[in-house]
Amino acid sequence: NFKFDLKNNTITTEAWVTPLTDGESGGSRGIVVQFDTKAGRSPYLYTGIHPRFHNWRAEVTFKGVMALARTRAVHGKRIHVTAVKNEKFLLLFLDGQLAAKRDITNAYFPVTNQLLIGVKQIGLIDEIRITNKARYSENFTPPERFDKDDATIALSHYDKGKGKIPKDSSGNGHHATIYNAKCVRITPYGSLKD
């Protein structure tokens, strides 16, 4: 469970992701981080790869507000993906560069109770940080490894290489459980080791 009031709070989600090709569509797809109310059936705010165009996106599903980047997901290329919801805008950053921006003044945000990571995600995720503030408003240099601060509400490094319960390093006890995925070792540059 991960209860969060999206309406009355700003939030930043960021992750290091390495997309891999989806054999069905010939491109990459999937959701990196998703807030919803019913265990994957009612998403309200998420970041990921558009299933048709294979471009990176951040989306508020109510009224279809989507920040769709021109940048396509590239097979095997590690990338820092960040979505920021502030009081007025939904911002999408790729490798620290602003890639898309949408007005969300009239969007609807409920209190969500689920946080899902890697929904239909075809690829690797090796860092996740969720922050209850608008951490970025302009271009920035992405940190290789995320640290916690007073605004961090969930933090996972995925660097233990084993187990089914990725530990939350924020100190808030938001430990996760792995389903239909596995731990693999990667190089510092994101490619699979033999």
Side-chain angles (χ1 to χ4, degrees), residues 22-52:
D22 165 23
E24 180 181 336
S25 67
S28 298
R29 64 176 181 171
I31 295 170
V32 180
V33 179
Q34 171 177 310
F35 290 85
D36 69 21
T37 58
K38 291 184 179 178
R41 295 190 294 274
S42 300
Y44 281 94
L45 173 65
Y46 58 91
T47 58
I49 304 169
H50 195 287
R52 180 176 170 193

Side-chain angles (χ1 to χ4, degrees), residues 148-173:
K148 69 175 181 178
D149 56 22
D150 291 342
T152 305
I153 54 179
L155 172 64
S156 291
H157 299 296
Y158 300 106
D159 56 2
K160 300 302 181 184
K162 60 182 179 179
K164 289 291 184 181
I165 303 179
K167 297 297 183 182
D168 174 20
S169 298
S170 73
N172 294 314

Side-chain angles (χ1 to χ4, degrees), residues 5-20:
D5 184 353
L6 287 171
K7 179 181 180 180
N8 296 309
N9 289 280
T10 58
I11 194 163
T12 301
T13 68
E14 55 188 318
W16 279 103
V17 184
T18 306
L20 300 178

